[in-house]
Amino acid sequence: MAAAAGSHGGGRRRSAVVVPLLLVALQLAGAASAAGLPLVINTWAFRKAAETAWRVLQQGGSELDAVERGCGQCEIDQCDGSVGYGGSPDESGETTLDAMIMDGNTMEVGAVADLRRVKNAIGVARKVIEYTKHTLLVGESASLFAVRMGFPYEDLTTQNSLSVYSKWLNQSCQPNYWKNVVPDSSKSCGPYKRPEKATYKEEEEAISRRSFHNHDTIGMVVIGARGAVASGTSTNGAIHKIPGRVGDSPIAGAGSYADSTAGGAAATGDGDIMMRFLPSYQAVEYMRRGTDPTVACQKVISRIQKYVPRFFGAVICANTTGSYGAACSKLPGFTQFHFMVSSPLLNQPTEQVVDCI
């Protein structure tokens, strides 16, 4: 009996030791996760955008503030000519802007598309959240809204965009986004119209005839120290697009997505294809199930490839513990994807690279 009692008492002592050790282990795991926060991750090697967003967080700004200022920096810098004014003129020679911003706490989204004569598209998108019950404003009406919110009208055309447009006209408007029209859009400029007798043909050279740098949207995900998530995008869209075209960037779930219970994601690439698959939303849902961010990114790229084997695109993903990853679709001339990461685990905003799949 004494032995049995001693054995039972020893069991209680071992339990008393095990429980504190378990608590310590959980605390250490939590500390390890928290060490990776806050986090800023953005598409492409847009370093100044990453630095700006990180600085906003360090100065006590919110996750939405960081996204707005970070993407806004790219609008100022005209990142790669694919963000902000003076880039990607459409068929009429005009530069128009698309942007969105999303609050992962409230699931509110503000977005603008086909914005004209206003430079700070991401700023206008945020005002859609703050001062309207809408989600997306487009075209001339979006510009009028921006002016009411205090944004000035400014010319988005530059000498460079005029030069790009002139060169395109001199190349018989090649490449362009028309198909199955007359005159033959692969050989001459428009105006185009539907042929009287419709004949449809697949366009196999679309990717090879368009530069990969036609779609370098900035997409950004910011996760705060307590796990709150925000995301956003800004772009001037596809170069030589048909006027009125809107891609994936200002569409919630396509261009980016944020949910503070799971994580955030943002996409870049051929928006006309990628928006059909809502890759940012899908990636966040994968992470919600516990999928590693890198694997989540790879899964959404692979899903698109099943339908469009040769497409240009990439996705960045981050979960609420500070883990992150990226993936891209491999093409000749595009075998790696560069993106920026800022976190307490890094000495400074750091450019990282992933091999495409």
Side-chain angles (χ1 to χ4, degrees):
M1 288 292 293
S7 175
H8 185 62
R12 284 198 299 269
R13 284 194 295 273
R14 283 193 295 271
S15 297
V17 172
V18 169
V19 171
L21 286 175
L22 182 60
L23 289 173
V24 169
L26 289 171
Q27 288 168 352
L28 288 173
S33 296
L37 296 175
L39 174 76
V40 175
I41 180 171
N42 63 264
T43 57
W44 307 105
F46 296 150
R47 181 174 298 275
K48 285 186 69 176
E51 291 172 344
T52 298
W54 185 249
R55 186 166 58 250
V56 169
L57 288 180
Q58 296 305 298
Q59 293 173 349
S62 70
E63 294 80 16
L64 280 178
D65 293 336
V67 169
E68 180 184 359
R69 291 280 302 281
C71 291
Q73 186 66 52
C74 247
E75 293 174 345
I76 294 168
D77 295 341
Q78 302 168 281
C79 288
D80 271 8
S82 63
V83 182
Y85 71 100
S88 301
D90 64 18
E91 272 194 346
S92 302
E94 184 178 12
T95 295
T96 59
L97 308 180
D98 302 335
M100 70 155 285
I101 190 167
M102 183 167 185
D103 184 337
N105 289 334
T106 65
M107 306 307 288
E108 290 178 296
V109 175
V112 290
D114 195 24
L115 182 70
R116 301 172 178 181
R117 301 184 304 282
V118 177
K119 289 184 176 180
N120 185 200
I122 189 82
V124 180
R126 186 167 182 185
K127 294 297 184 286
V128 174
I129 288 181
E130 294 176 338
Y131 296 102
T132 83
K133 297 178 182 179
H134 297 311
T135 293
L136 172 64
L137 299 179
V138 302
E140 207 61 59
S141 297
S143 300
L144 290 172
F145 168 78
V147 171
R148 289 178 184 173
M149 292 294 104
F151 295 87
Y153 269 149
E154 300 178 87
D155 191 357
L156 303 188
T157 300
T158 63
Q159 281 302 122
N160 179 66
S161 65
L162 285 174
S163 176
V164 169
Y165 179 57
S166 178
K167 181 179 179 181
W168 179 73
L169 289 175
N170 290 332
Q171 292 175 171
S172 300
C173 302
Q174 302 302 310
N176 60 63
Y177 289 88
W178 292 89
K179 65 179 183 179
N180 304 319
V181 293
V182 291
D184 187 340
S185 60
S186 67
K187 298 177 181 178
S188 66
C189 296
Y192 308 107
K193 62 181 181 178
R194 187 180 68 178
E196 290 186 14
K197 189 173 183 179
T199 56
Y200 302 104
K201 63 179 181 179
E202 292 296 324
E203 187 181 5
E204 297 178 355
E205 299 179 355
I207 293 175
S208 63
R209 291 192 293 112
R210 296 179 190 134
S211 166
F212 295 136
H213 294 283
N214 285 356
H215 305 77
D216 293 353
T217 306
I218 180 167
M220 179 176 285
V221 175
V222 173
I223 303 181
R226 297 184 178 181
V229 184
S231 69
T233 65
S234 185
T235 186
N236 51 34
I239 191 167
H240 312 311
K241 63 192 175 189
I242 298 170
R245 178 265 187 186
V246 175
D248 64 328
S249 296
I251 307 302
S256 79
Y257 196 73
D259 186 334
S260 296
T261 66
T268 183
D270 188 336
D272 290 298
I273 290 173
M274 297 184 76
M275 69 190 299
R276 304 169 193 167
F277 297 89
L278 297 179
S280 296
Y281 170 79
Q282 187 66 57
V284 171
E285 290 307 304
Y286 282 136
M287 290 188 288
R288 185 191 307 284
R289 301 175 197 168
T291 303
D292 175 80
T294 297
V295 176
C297 283
Q298 290 172 343
K299 284 168 74 75
V300 298
I301 291 294
S302 296
R303 179 169 176 257
I304 300 173
Q305 287 175 331
K306 289 179 181 178
Y307 296 88
V308 189
R310 297 178 67 249
F311 85 98
F312 169 55
V315 182
I316 55 171
C317 303
N319 65 24
T320 52
T321 69
S323 295
Y324 60 85
C328 51
S329 179
K330 188 175 182 179
L331 288 172
F334 183 63
T335 59
Q336 292 185 321
F337 173 60
H338 296 244
F339 60 103
M340 296 296 301
V341 179
S342 309
S343 87
L345 302 178
L346 303 169
N347 292 327
Q348 60 184 358
T350 303
E351 181 178 339
Q352 301 198 13
V353 184
V354 64
D355 290 328
C356 297
I357 59 175

